[in-house]
């Protein structure tokens, strides 16, 4: 959980609430009031934001509040393509010594989403859980591939699903072909791999199976910050709600994640996620069906 | 129809047969033996290649043979991403004064595919047809937007479907958002727009409707040259075979085009297209169904 400041071709966000865990929580909470948040915030983090999360059914007992330091802060500027960005400022602040403690009341959680963070910290969360979750999903990024390769390899062996973007998949596997990259990565530990391609959708790989979910073509991508985390939150939230972790159900889950991510891009930060309803999601899922649904009648 | 020489990270093609019309013809001919080719070749073009086309059911009466000049020649080198390339050599040769003459036996054609070429030449083909075709599809490129804008605007008013890639759509519309670009372009003349995104699939726009066909994730894109033309040839070939130009049928047609394009990328030049069968295509279309087919059971 963090402060972000975002500049896009459409304007400036000012200082707003962001952070991987925030987006994941808002997205997952759409599917039930049993989301348990683990994170760290500083003395500048507004209590009202935690109340907002609580009002959506997110338990924030595991959000550690540090009294003598500010929250993590990131400032970024998007290029015209809205797919690439420059980081203008990154202040770790409280995140520098984040040592998450899992509250007792969180034990028994069946679905665990590990947002992008130091691999050793992600591992410590897994190790604190007394009962192995039904599904562990992990996000990571190129930074950890450069700086904490061994720890990353270590935690990858403990997770079921890895969620990364295409350039991260290429770096992790040292393969340019996404299909070859997926095969190599699936040999590193996770049994399922999701490769996000931004406005070009997402691929789901398991064994020799592959599924593709497009991104919804939008009139305007207003702010893509958090879209990947929203996607992951929608994915795991849908799986947790249905309790079904089959490949077939994961297909639907990444379409759900993709649909929620499209809402995220419509406004700065978490604004749209705070208001999105199941009815909105249903309508957009119908748009997705229209977007990809076709008849094969080759011999007609 | 042309000679190409292609360099990819996987090797060098040497001097091989290429050209937009060649790829379109091979792809379309899979759907019936009533493809009528209009093109120009030089004194170096192998008779055996024309025989190959004829053996697939392509009428080459409209292929003009020039006795004192060589064929068009292009040499290119692909970057590692296989989506971008540098042109190393372009020799227009016979193409410099191409003035296509439509044979009488071609009159009455119901489906017309205009490969990427000087817009005024594309227009002259339309004007030579005594009966307006049921469907006219046009391909173009950024070069003509820079050098023949007025002629391009002119021919766009005469066609039903425009097929371009995403960067061309952005240049043509001066809009970055693909959705906004599509709206502007549909106001220029064509009632249907296809935007190709290479390995990221293709979008079909008509009125307020949009459909997305993914590209098949391949282990290796061996040589993408001609994939766009193969896509267009498969699209119009399928429509001609079924005789149905509804939006619904166009959805299937772009999936068919995308499937055929995936074969094209498996070998250098037209090699794979010369051997591909309807059975191969059927199998790949089933792969496409698996790739995008999902259940929406949100309230399960």
């Amino acid at each position: 959980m963090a402060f972000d400041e975002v500049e896009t071709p459409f304007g400036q966000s000012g200082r707003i609430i962001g952070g991987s865990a925030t987006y994941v929580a808002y997205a997952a909470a759409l599917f039930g009031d049993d989301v348990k948040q683990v994170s760290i915030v500083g003395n500048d983090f507004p209590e009202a934001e935690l109340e907002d999360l609580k009002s959506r059914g997110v338990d924030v007992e595991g959000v550690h509040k540090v009294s003598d330091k500010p929250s993590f802060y990131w400032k970024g500027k998007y290029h015209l393509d809205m797919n690439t960005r420059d980081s203008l400022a990154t202040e770790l602040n409280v995140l520098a010594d984040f040592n998450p403690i899992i509250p007792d009341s969180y034990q028994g959680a069946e679905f665990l989403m590990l947002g992008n963070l130091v691999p050793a910290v992600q591992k410590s969360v897994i190790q604190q859980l007394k009962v192995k979750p039904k599904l562990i999903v992990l996000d990571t990024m190129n930074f950890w591939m450069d700086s904490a390769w061994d720890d990353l390899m270590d935690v990858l062996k403990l997770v079921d699903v890895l969620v990364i973007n295409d350039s991260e998949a290429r770096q992790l596997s040292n393969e340019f072909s996404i299909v070859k990259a997926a095969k190599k990565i699936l040999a590193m530990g996770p049994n399922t791999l999701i490769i996000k391609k931004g406005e070009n959708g997402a691929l789901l790989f398991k064994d020799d199976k592959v599924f593709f979910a497009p991104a919804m073509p939008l009139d305007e991508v207003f702010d893509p910050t958090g879209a990947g985390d929203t996607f992951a939150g929608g994915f795991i939230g849908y799986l947790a709600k249905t309790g079904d972790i089959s490949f077939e159900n994961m297909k639907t889950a990444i379409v759900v994640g993709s649909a929620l991510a499209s809402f995220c891009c419509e406004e700065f930060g978490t604004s749209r996620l705070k208001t999105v309803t199941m009815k909105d999601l249903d309508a957009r899922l119908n748009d997705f069906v229209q977007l990809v649904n076709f008849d094969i009648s080759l011999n007609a």
Side-chain angles (χ1 to χ4, degrees), chain A residues 19-62:
Chain A
S20 160
T22 313
Y23 287 100
V24 170
Y26 273 117
L30 195 62
F31 300 95
D33 56 358
D34 199 22
V35 177
K36 296 167 191 306
Q37 183 88 319
V38 178
S39 190
I40 190 166
V41 296
N43 53 13
D44 51 356
F45 202 83
E47 194 60 34
E49 285 292 335
L50 294 174
E51 291 303 321
D52 274 2
L53 275 171
K54 281 201 254 181
S55 76
R56 298 285 278 200
V58 178
D59 188 339
V60 297
E61 187 190 341

Side-chain angles (χ1 to χ4, degrees), chain A residues 261-283:
Chain A
S262 73
F263 285 111
C264 177
C265 297
E266 291 179 354
E267 296 177 18
F268 275 129
T270 56
S271 304
R272 187 65 183 94
L273 290 184
K274 288 187 180 185
T275 61
V276 70
T277 63
M278 199 55 111
K279 199 178 159 193
D280 295 331
L281 177 60
D282 257 328

Side-chain angles (χ1 to χ4, degrees), chain A residues 36-297:
Chain A
K36 296 167 191 306
Q37 183 88 319
V38 178
S39 190
I40 190 166
V41 296
N43 53 13
D44 51 356
F45 202 83
E47 194 60 34
E49 285 292 335
L50 294 174
E51 291 303 321
D52 274 2
L53 275 171
K54 281 201 254 181
S55 76
R56 298 285 278 200
V58 178
D59 188 339
V60 297
E61 187 190 341
V63 178
H64 183 52
K65 289 164 217 163
V66 178
S67 59
D68 61 349
K69 276 188 184 172
S71 303
F72 178 88
Y73 168 79
W74 174 78
K75 185 175 181 177
K77 182 179 175 168
Y78 284 88
H79 301 166
L80 186 59
D81 68 8
M82 299 299 278
N83 257 343
T84 51
R85 65 189 186 191
D86 293 325
S87 284
L88 303 180
T90 305
E91 296 168 13
L92 284 181
N93 300 328
V94 295
L95 209 62
D97 8 72
F98 182 33
N99 180 24
I101 307 296
I102 306 300
D104 283 346
S105 66
Y106 283 25
Q107 292 295 340
E110 287 195 296
F111 291 83
L112 174 62
M113 172 71 221
L114 295 160
N116 171 39
L117 206 58
V118 193
V121 172
Q122 293 176 314
K123 185 180 174 183
S124 105
V125 170
I126 297 174
Q127 288 177 323
Q128 288 177 63
L129 296 179
K130 292 168 188 163
V131 182
K132 190 184 180 308
K134 190 168 175 177
L135 192 79
I136 302 178
V137 180
L138 182 120
D139 185 13
T140 189
M141 72 184 294
N142 46 12
F143 182 76
W144 311 117
M145 299 171 198
D146 293 331
S147 62
W149 179 264
D150 290 348
D151 287 348
L152 179 59
M153 287 302 114
D154 208 27
V155 73
L156 277 182
K157 291 186 180 64
L158 304 177
V159 308
D160 302 295
V161 182
L162 174 64
V163 185
I164 47 179
N165 70 32
D166 46 355
S167 74
E168 290 159 353
R170 285 176 170 132
Q171 180 170 347
L172 185 58
S173 64
N174 202 25
E175 287 285 351
F176 195 84
S177 152
I178 287 294
V179 176
K180 286 189 174 180
K183 283 177 189 162
K184 270 201 182 175
I185 293 167
L186 287 174
M188 292 175 183
N191 61 54
T192 305
L193 172 66
I194 296 171
I195 299 180
K196 299 174 291 180
K197 302 199 295 175
E199 65 163 353
N200 293 311
L203 288 157
L204 171 70
F205 294 92
K206 184 177 191 176
D207 303 324
D208 286 335
K209 298 189 286 287
V210 56
F211 173 72
F212 175 80
M216 182 56 63
L218 296 173
D219 262 41
E220 216 67 274
V221 174
F222 190 80
D223 174 16
T225 311
D229 298 314
T230 303
F231 172 89
F235 172 77
I236 200 163
Y238 179 79
L239 292 178
K241 184 190 177 178
T242 54
D244 173 358
I245 58 170
S246 68
F247 185 76
E248 283 307 310
N249 201 48
M250 282 193 187
K251 288 181 176 182
T252 304
I254 75 166
V255 174
V256 167
S258 194
L260 268 181
S262 73
F263 285 111
C264 177
C265 297
E266 291 179 354
E267 296 177 18
F268 275 129
T270 56
S271 304
R272 187 65 183 94
L273 290 184
K274 288 187 180 185
T275 61
V276 70
T277 63
M278 199 55 111
K279 199 178 159 193
D280 295 331
L281 177 60
D282 257 328
R284 187 138 311 171
L285 286 172
N286 278 327
D287 293 343
F288 269 85
V289 172
Q290 295 307 313
L291 184 66
V292 298
N293 195 37
F294 63 91
D295 268 334
I296 281 298
S297 48

